[in-house]
Amino acid sequence: MLILGIDPGYATTGFGIIDSLDDRIKLVDFGTVNTAKDLPQRERVLQTVDDLRELIKEFEPEEIALEELFFSKNVKTALKVAECRGAIIYELTRQKLPLTEYKPNQVKSNICGNGSAPKIQVQKMVQMLLNLKQLPTPDDAADALALAICHANHLKQKINFLQ
């Protein structure tokens, strides 16, 4: 089962695609969708959604995991991220794709066993779980992979519970 993790942002949106096979997970692809600083916000949102639409078309994920908005001290940035996140949710819903949302501390707890784990610890766990030679970078892409892994774990728990 292909799972797409998305870490939304208005400048940089991370994506991570894994294949969840029984009790194993395998890396398919990861990276970022970037927008130019000189574009108006509405065009950055549109570009992000268009780029994600192309990724979905190319990989045809069966499940999507999206990070919930984490409020930082910078309200202006949080609002821009919220606009982008809302457009992503709209597009995923329009395409009728199964979407599950996770809070950052849920992902950290699932991946590291600690809801307040630092980013480097999350990156190292993602590296280990996916058997990568190097730490996944940038942070946005590593976070998206962590989201996808968290969702794969959630689905396994759900299946085990139902059996």
Side-chain angles (χ1 to χ4, degrees):
M1 169 184 307
L2 285 182
I3 300 172
L4 168 62
I6 302 172
D7 180 22
Y10 74 98
T12 304
T13 293
F15 71 88
I17 305 168
I18 63 167
D19 195 354
S20 177
L21 312 159
D22 301 319
D23 287 337
R24 298 174 323 199
I25 52 174
K26 185 178 101 177
L27 175 66
V28 175
D29 197 8
F30 71 99
T32 57
V33 170
N34 302 300
T35 60
K37 291 179 182 180
D38 60 339
L39 287 177
Q41 172 67 4
R42 66 183 179 276
E43 289 183 33
R44 292 176 98 165
V45 170
L46 180 61
Q47 180 184 340
T48 298
V49 171
D50 285 347
D51 289 352
L52 286 174
R53 187 182 302 122
E54 287 303 311
L55 271 172
I56 290 166
K57 187 176 175 182
E58 179 181 349
F59 291 100
E60 298 179 349
E62 297 162 75
E63 294 276 339
I64 313 283
L66 180 69
E67 187 171 83
E68 286 188 13
L69 186 59
F70 174 74
F71 256 108
S72 63
K73 293 177 185 176
N74 189 337
V75 175
K76 192 174 181 180
T77 299
L79 289 173
K80 289 179 179 183
V81 173
E83 288 175 2
C84 192
R85 192 175 173 283
I88 291 168
I89 290 171
Y90 170 81
E91 179 61 25
L92 298 173
T93 303
R94 190 187 67 73
Q95 289 192 41
K96 297 179 175 45
L97 293 167
L99 171 63
T100 305
E101 300 174 67
Y102 295 94
K103 292 176 176 56
N105 64 337
Q106 286 177 293
V107 176
K108 291 175 179 183
S109 180
N110 185 278
I111 300 296
C112 301
N114 175 2
S116 58
K119 281 197 176 283
I120 189 69
Q121 188 177 358
V122 174
Q123 284 176 292
K124 286 179 180 180
M125 285 302 295
V126 167
Q127 177 185 17
M128 185 186 80
L129 291 168
L130 293 174
N131 200 25
L132 303 174
K133 291 180 178 158
Q134 298 178 327
L135 282 179
T137 56
D139 289 350
D140 306 287
D143 290 349
L145 284 170
L147 278 156
I149 295 167
C150 175
H151 189 59
N153 291 338
H154 173 78
L155 291 174
K156 285 176 199 163
Q157 289 171 351
K158 194 173 174 181
I159 289 169
N160 290 337
F161 178 75
L162 295 173
Q163 292 178 346

